[in-house]
Amino acid sequence: RRVLFRSYKSQGEPIASFASYLESSCGIPVIDQTGLTGNYNINLKWRNQDGLKKILLSQLGLQLVPGQAPVEMLIVDKAQ
């Protein structure tokens, strides 16, 4: 049985870029509330969402926590 891994690698990018990747990868909104303003090198590999949460905490000291926040979005109202 083959185990599929997901990975993310960046060189000198802001945490906001990583949050955008997580949003598209996880399929749910991800909001960067770290307060980190620098650029970072990130190299991660994981199997599933639980694995992602564990590796974020152990390697980067970051947590994914459920929450609620207002989100700005575009809505397609109608076509003419």
Side-chain angles (χ1 to χ4, degrees):
R1 185 171 158 182
R2 202 168 157 198
V3 177
L4 298 176
F5 284 93
R6 290 188 143 172
S7 63
Y8 178 85
K9 187 173 186 175
S10 71
Q11 296 290 330
E13 292 188 18
I15 292 295
S17 295
F18 182 51
S20 294
Y21 169 81
L22 288 175
E23 183 169 322
S24 64
S25 178
C26 295
I28 58 173
V30 175
I31 299 169
D32 172 18
Q33 293 186 335
T34 63
L36 299 172
T37 58
N39 292 328
Y40 300 88
N41 300 332
I42 299 173
N43 188 5
L44 302 173
K45 193 178 203 181
W46 67 93
R47 272 186 247 198
N48 54 36
Q49 195 164 355
D50 286 336
L52 173 61
K53 288 179 181 182
K54 287 178 185 176
I55 202 165
L56 283 175
L57 185 57
S58 68
Q59 290 191 16
L60 302 176
L62 299 176
Q63 289 184 308
L64 290 176
V65 294
Q68 295 182 349
V71 178
E72 187 175 321
M73 66 180 74
L74 298 174
I75 299 173
V76 177
D77 189 24
K78 60 183 173 182
Q80 293 190 15

